[in-house]
Amino acid sequence: LVIASLFPSGVVLGFIPVQSAMMVGMYLFSTGMALLAAGILGRTVLKGKRMPLLMELPPYRLPRLATVVRQMWLRARSFLTEAGTVILACTVVLWALLSFPREGLPEVELNQRRAAIAQLAPSAREPATRALEAEDASRQIEHSIAGRLGHAIEPVLRPLGFDWRIGIGLVGSFAAREVLVPTLSQVYGHGKQADDDDGGGLVAGALRQGGLTPLKGLSLMVFFAIALQCLSTVAAIRREAGGWRWALAALVYLNGLAWLSSLAVYQIGRALGYA
């Protein structure tokens, strides 16, 4: 979503698509960070007797179509019944947090501006009405429960290039990382008719209009590549480790490393002249 929304669709080196290069680059970055962390932890806090790595490869055969279809169905059903229900529930909760209390533009001001819009030429009324609705929705979100929470943590996120709206998304993603997308959809796209000349979708257009730049988008992707936010993963670590010690340690160290990495990306990018 971030790559498609914020990065150009051109090519680098004359033949490599920019967006494809960014996607592959993020995968390589994630893999490199995992190997680096494993190397450091294996020589420090997890130091122990080295064991040989033995891996038995199964025999490879051409898969049967029926088996492929069955596996696709099982995985899709598992996602919809497990992750999908969590995402739906979190989206409903986020909608409530973004919608209450109702503190949009004052009713008197709304009526006055609507009356002024009614005096405009017919061709100018529709864009003026959309702009007024977007302003009212933006004020509503900013003064909602979620908006106030985002403002509270904004000082910690501002060095990374994030504002209070991204803060709402980061808080929501603790339920499940996938919740970030519907959260950004509600925060950036709520009440907006985003321009979509390049087919990026309403959320993509809203992200661009909301002030996200390629540098901020890269900072956000680096943060998510490292951060441990899904609380179900924390619960799984606690279950496997037999206690909260390693689960809380992973939560602190991964999110701290994500913050530092995102900080480095954004501040170095600004120092090089990128916005």
Side-chain angles (χ1 to χ4, degrees):
L1 173 67
V2 173
I3 291 174
S5 303
L6 304 178
F7 289 87
S9 56
V11 297
V12 293
L13 301 178
F15 67 96
I16 302 177
V18 172
Q19 295 181 347
S20 299
M22 288 297 304
M23 180 68 76
V24 173
M26 289 308 304
Y27 273 102
L28 294 177
F29 172 76
S30 300
T31 303
M33 290 298 294
L35 294 175
L36 179 62
I40 294 175
L41 292 176
R43 290 169 173 79
T44 53
V45 295
L46 297 176
K47 187 176 182 180
K49 183 179 179 181
R50 290 184 175 274
M51 301 296 293
L53 174 62
L54 299 177
M55 182 180 297
E56 181 179 358
L57 298 177
Y60 288 95
R61 303 183 182 90
L62 185 66
R64 294 189 305 167
L65 179 60
T67 303
V68 173
V69 172
R70 180 172 179 272
Q71 288 297 323
M72 290 172 57
W73 164 247
L74 291 176
R75 294 299 179 89
R77 186 179 66 179
S78 175
F79 176 81
L80 291 175
T81 55
E82 295 177 12
T85 53
V86 172
I87 295 172
L88 176 61
C90 292
T91 302
V92 173
V93 172
L94 286 168
W95 171 84
L97 294 177
L98 290 167
S99 301
F100 299 100
R102 304 293 301 179
E103 292 188 16
L105 293 173
E107 192 65 28
V108 175
E109 181 180 349
L110 276 175
N111 293 333
Q112 291 176 345
R113 295 177 64 174
R114 285 169 180 160
I117 290 174
Q119 305 301 319
L120 298 175
S123 60
R125 291 175 189 169
E126 185 176 351
T129 301
R130 289 203 303 266
L132 178 60
E133 292 174 349
E135 183 180 347
D136 182 51
S138 177
R139 181 183 175 90
Q140 162 60 38
I141 291 176
E142 186 169 0
H143 291 82
S144 65
I145 298 174
R148 293 170 183 176
L149 179 60
H151 279 291
I153 65 175
E154 187 178 30
V156 179
L157 302 177
R158 194 177 297 117
L160 314 183
F162 306 156
D163 61 7
W164 61 272
R165 293 172 293 185
I166 295 293
I168 296 175
L170 294 180
V171 171
S173 63
F174 271 97
R177 293 170 68 88
E178 300 86 351
V179 174
L180 177 71
V181 174
T183 303
L184 294 181
S185 174
Q186 294 192 49
V187 173
Y188 281 94
H190 192 68
K192 283 189 176 184
Q193 292 291 331
D195 295 332
D196 184 28
D197 296 333
D198 60 355
L202 174 63
V203 181
L207 290 178
R208 291 190 294 268
Q209 293 184 7
L212 279 184
T213 64
L215 178 58
K216 293 179 181 179
L218 180 60
S219 176
L220 180 63
M221 290 191 294
V222 167
F223 185 91
F224 261 84
I226 302 174
L228 174 59
Q229 293 173 279
C230 186
L231 293 182
S232 61
T233 303
V234 178
I237 296 175
R238 184 203 65 81
R239 183 179 64 251
E240 295 296 330
W244 283 104
R245 177 187 174 189
W246 286 109
L248 294 178
L251 185 67
V252 172
Y253 118 78
L254 283 173
N255 287 329
L257 181 61
W259 190 90
L260 291 174
S261 301
S262 183
L263 175 70
V265 168
Y266 183 67
Q267 295 300 331
I268 292 175
R270 288 188 63 189
L272 294 176
Y274 296 100

